[in-house]
Amino acid sequence: MTLRIPLFLLALCVGAPALAQPSAQPAFEQGYSAYEAGDYASARQYWQPLAEAGHAPAQYGLGLLHANGQIAGHDDVSAVSWLRKAAEQGEAGAQFNLGMMYANGQGVPRDYAQTAQWCAKAASQDDADGQYCMGQLYANGDGVKQSDEQAMQWWRKAAEQGHAKAQNRLGELYAVTEGPLRDNAQAVHWLRQAAQQGLPVAQNNLGTLYLDGQGVARDPEAAMHWFRRAAEQGDADAQYNLAVGYDFGRGVARDISQAVAWYRKAAEQGYAKAQSNLGALYADGDGVGRDEAQAVAWWRKAAEQGHPRARINLGVMYAEGRGVPRNLPVAYALLGTARLPEDLAGYRDRLAAQMSRAQIAQGRKLEADLMAAGSGAQAIRRVDRALDAAPR
């Protein structure tokens, strides 16, 4: 298992606007109380006149109401307009959120350079979200020159303020980077900080370090503890890791029924490895009633995501007519999309010996389609639709 580095996808902050300065009009504070109570229409009534008069916190709040669709009509353009007004007056939260609007292409064209500009302004005011944003941008080279060193510096600033996502990303970078930046002890420290705040991805990552003995003494039981905490929050990676633990008795007593349950939770979230393993359990009747049609169904889902072993297993099922009508060209095509393991060496050649020239030609055409499309969902579905047309 390896640490999971999340894709760069910044979400709009949905937190309430910062409290106004002590001199702020009572109307803002009344609007803020309404906002906290979920009465967004009243919040807007209090804030609109203030915002139009140039009150930055009210402009920020009004921008959030529009951006989050908390008042009638989701209006990203108006959100950008109000956030910009507040941001230009130095409201750090508005600066960060305006950066997010540019990152997500909401109300404005996507523009990471603008994201960097506004997040930098927020970060310079010690805004932890802005600092986290700058770390993300430097890690991915979006709007700035890619730099792990800069990413680490910004994430550390946010992490030291208790920002859980920054703590997780900082820990991940210490764990997976090569060269002088790598520091397994620091990885454990920061991942633990985030995990103890309840962040599922950090809990899963910390469990991975315990399982591998990276930066800590190898401790499968501790690994399973953290995997469970993340899995119970719906983290698919952790659900899969927990299932593997139960499947093979790592850190817990082997319990195939628990393995099935956790594989299923991850599989239903579209996790390809879990789908592949769940298919194998159905094929073998291990922990569930033997059901080759279910095995095929789960392997097909995994194959649609490009999982190599699932494509191979699906090919074998087509070759042998198990759980699906026997179809040699389809089997030939699927088996040609991945390197066969030792236990299946020569299987495709033996299959070809049973096929006519027309069948082999059809199989090669289907294989080319699959390879061109990366064995994705549409390509697998085309193979399914080819069943009636393909010579068997």
Side-chain angles (χ1 to χ4, degrees), residues 59-100:
Q59 292 169 339
Y60 173 28
L62 203 58
L64 289 183
L65 288 174
H66 281 294
N68 295 328
Q70 293 166 329
I71 51 180
H74 187 100
D75 188 345
D76 286 338
V77 174
S78 292
V80 168
S81 175
W82 287 116
L83 290 172
R84 189 184 304 280
K85 291 177 186 297
E88 288 174 346
Q89 294 195 66
E91 190 75 22
Q95 292 168 340
F96 165 72
N97 278 285
L98 181 58
M100 295 307 93

Side-chain angles (χ1 to χ4, degrees), residues 40-174:
Y40 303 125
S42 294
R44 181 183 188 178
Q45 288 179 353
Y46 285 113
W47 286 343
Q48 185 85 33
L50 296 177
E52 290 174 351
H55 188 271
Q59 292 169 339
Y60 173 28
L62 203 58
L64 289 183
L65 288 174
H66 281 294
N68 295 328
Q70 293 166 329
I71 51 180
H74 187 100
D75 188 345
D76 286 338
V77 174
S78 292
V80 168
S81 175
W82 287 116
L83 290 172
R84 189 184 304 280
K85 291 177 186 297
E88 288 174 346
Q89 294 195 66
E91 190 75 22
Q95 292 168 340
F96 165 72
N97 278 285
L98 181 58
M100 295 307 93
M101 299 298 278
Y102 276 109
N104 295 326
Q106 293 176 247
V108 287
R110 178 169 288 167
D111 187 335
Y112 287 122
Q114 285 289 314
T115 299
Q117 175 183 323
W118 289 108
C119 282
K121 290 179 182 293
S124 69
Q125 299 190 61
D126 289 329
D127 182 84
D129 286 323
Q131 293 166 343
Y132 172 71
C133 167
M134 292 304 296
Q136 293 285 88
L137 293 172
Y138 275 109
N140 293 281
D142 290 321
V144 293
K145 184 178 179 180
Q146 198 282 332
S147 170
D148 285 344
E149 292 85 353
Q150 285 290 319
M152 186 171 284
Q153 289 178 25
W154 283 113
W155 282 332
R156 180 177 289 278
K157 288 178 184 291
E160 289 174 347
Q161 295 195 62
H163 195 289
K165 290 182 179 179
Q167 291 169 342
N168 175 67
R169 291 308 307 271
L170 184 59
E172 288 178 332
L173 187 55
Y174 274 123

Side-chain angles (χ1 to χ4, degrees), residues 28 78 84 160 222 232 243 263 265 281 305 335 347-348:
F28 175 80
S78 292
R84 189 184 304 280
E160 289 174 347
E232 289 174 347
Y263 278 140
K265 288 180 183 293
L281 294 179
Q305 298 187 65
L335 293 169
Y347 187 93
R348 190 167 183 247

